[in-house]
Amino acid sequence: MKNITKLTVIIITIFISLNFCKADNPAYTLTAQNFVLTAPNILDFDIYIKHTNPGVSTFEFAIAEYSFNYNASYGNGGTVSFSFAPGNNSDLPVNARPRKAMVKNSILRLSSNSTIGKGSGPVISSTGNGTRVTRVRLQTTASSFSGSSGLSWRNTPERKPNTTVIAFTAAGGVNITSPPAHTINSGSVKTLNLNCVIEGFYNGGSNLNSSDTVRVYLRNTSFPFNLVDSSIAVINSSTLSGAFLFNNSSNAVTYYIGEAQKLHRDME
């Protein structure tokens, strides 16, 4: 009977210890957000990581790699580059920041930071948006992007590169990667796929002989029809369509296309 009691106590102790270790692991959210078209062919956005269970754990950052899938046709036929946006755009110390931005086929990758010793890693914030990892830039050599970026976190562990987050805990460096915590918050960026013809440049037999750059204005549908937003895109010479991206519009609101203004003619 004593042996049974002793065994029960040991099992309970192990169970409590395992749950204590699990509770010690930090939980987090990893978010791509603040998407801004700084030009028709340049898209900037931030990556934030936030500690979400500060009451039961600390989050001492160790190392991480960040990878995305994206729609390669978004580059509109141009050469796409992925880089760090200009300026000091990180809350992390230099040795904790991703080291290199790369693009290959339909994958965007930020390589892992330098190795940090336990006790020297930065503490991830649990307030506001959390800690800003970096601000990145997606750019195409075409005059504008086309369609949707299709951006999504690459979370498949058996196919590298993938997104991985390591934290220092009492047990040392621990892989705390949690794909459900990885989100894309594209905010208010909306795409209008518009078909239009520039007066004087349409040939019924061969369509347009050149592509044209157009600015489209969105206006409120009630008087005095105030301007809401504008966007620039290239009207394709074959499809007579262009993808216009707006930062200040809403899915729940109807707008008038106030006017479409031809800016210049790009010879093909």
Side-chain angles (χ1 to χ4, degrees):
M1 185 68 180
K2 289 183 179 180
N3 289 336
I4 294 174
T5 303
K6 184 177 181 180
L7 180 61
T8 303
V9 171
I10 292 172
I11 291 173
I12 292 173
T13 302
I14 292 172
F15 178 77
I16 292 172
S17 297
L18 289 173
N19 277 278
F20 176 79
C21 292
K22 184 177 180 181
D24 185 56
N25 287 352
Y28 70 93
T29 57
L30 186 64
T31 309
Q33 60 188 56
N34 301 331
F35 288 78
V36 176
L37 278 168
T38 57
N41 65 332
I42 299 175
L43 178 68
D44 290 351
F45 62 93
D46 291 318
I47 298 173
Y48 276 87
I49 188 166
K50 182 177 181 179
H51 185 195
T52 57
N53 63 340
V56 297
S57 72
T58 58
F59 190 166
E60 182 188 346
F61 180 86
I63 197 168
E65 181 173 308
Y66 316 89
S67 296
F68 301 90
N69 295 310
Y70 86 105
N71 178 12
S73 65
Y74 185 55
N76 200 16
T79 300
V80 174
S81 60
F82 187 50
S83 61
F84 298 105
N88 182 13
N89 297 309
S90 180
D91 298 330
L92 295 171
V94 173
N95 65 342
R97 300 174 188 177
R99 290 183 289 181
K100 188 176 181 181
M102 297 164 281
V103 57
K104 184 177 181 180
N105 299 326
S106 59
I107 299 173
L108 308 176
R109 179 187 179 188
L110 296 174
S111 62
S112 58
N113 53 281
S114 305
T115 302
I116 301 174
K118 181 172 169 56
S120 300
V123 175
I124 298 301
S125 173
S126 61
T127 62
N129 290 324
T131 298
R132 181 159 66 166
V133 174
T134 189
R135 185 166 181 80
V136 290
R137 170 165 291 182
L138 188 65
Q139 185 169 356
T140 177
T141 56
S143 55
S144 68
F145 289 114
S146 176
S148 171
S149 68
L151 197 71
S152 64
W153 285 102
R154 189 174 173 84
N155 295 317
T156 311
E158 65 274 11
R159 296 179 62 193
K160 295 186 178 296
N162 57 68
T163 304
T164 306
V165 180
I166 308 294
F168 286 123
T169 69
V174 175
N175 187 337
I176 61 168
T177 304
S178 176
H182 305 167
T183 60
I184 305 289
N185 181 5
S186 58
S188 59
V189 177
K190 305 294 183 297
T191 301
L192 169 66
N193 292 301
L194 179 69
N195 288 76
C196 65
V197 176
I198 307 301
E199 185 177 5
F201 292 101
Y202 178 69
N203 183 313
S206 59
N207 293 336
L208 292 173
N209 294 318
S210 67
S211 59
D212 287 273
T213 302
V214 172
R215 183 189 295 274
V216 170
Y217 297 87
L218 292 187
R219 293 185 177 273
N220 287 329
T221 57
S222 58
F223 184 83
F225 312 108
N226 290 329
L227 180 66
V228 175
D229 204 351
S230 68
S231 176
I232 297 173
V234 174
I235 301 300
N236 185 278
S237 61
S238 299
T239 64
L240 304 178
S241 65
F244 297 84
L245 283 77
F246 297 93
N247 293 298
N248 300 317
S249 61
S250 172
N251 281 335
V253 178
T254 300
Y255 300 100
Y256 284 147
I257 298 176
E259 59 263 29
Q261 176 187 7
K262 178 180 178 295
L263 298 183
H264 58 78
R265 192 180 186 197
D266 296 320
M267 298 303 295
E268 292 183 335

